[in-house]
Amino acid sequence: MADPASTTVVDGMDAYGPRVCDDMTVEVALAVMAGARVESLTVCDGDDQSTGSITLARLAVLRASSTYTDRIRLRDVLGSRLRPVPVRG
């Protein structure tokens, strides 16, 4: 019988998607999600400790907001310093 623990982690991916560093920009994170075909990423600090997870939906809302710049990093999004402002058309 296979060890059940060995089926929970595959190639650095866990229940919350691939692990990425919190200094990654939103643009790069969106590219990673598209390439990995995942809906979320596990975000880690410089010590490789998980600081949370981020979803594709949350990043898409942020990217579409008027406050978005290509300099925003995942740590900024998780730190809740950013509140997306809807784009008005």
Side-chain angles (χ1 to χ4, degrees), residues 16-70:
Y16 301 107
R19 296 173 66 88
V20 297
C21 191
D22 65 357
D23 68 346
M24 180 179 284
T25 64
V26 169
E27 286 297 315
V28 173
L30 288 167
V32 168
M33 288 177 160
R37 296 181 182 174
V38 296
E39 295 292 319
S40 64
L41 298 171
T42 298
V43 181
C44 299
D45 62 14
D47 295 325
D48 200 32
Q49 298 297 312
S50 177
T51 58
S53 64
I54 193 79
T55 64
L56 179 60
R58 184 171 178 192
L59 292 181
V61 168
L62 174 64
R63 189 176 188 202
S65 77
S66 62
T67 60
Y68 178 75
T69 73
D70 62 357

Side-chain angles (χ1 to χ4, degrees), residues 30 54 64 72 77 88:
L30 288 167
I54 193 79
I72 297 173
V77 177
R88 296 178 193 236

Side-chain angles (χ1 to χ4, degrees), residues 73-86:
R73 302 199 179 274
L74 295 180
R75 72 171 65 105
D76 300 328
V77 177
L78 288 178
S80 298
R81 293 186 298 189
L82 299 173
R83 302 255 185 241
V85 176

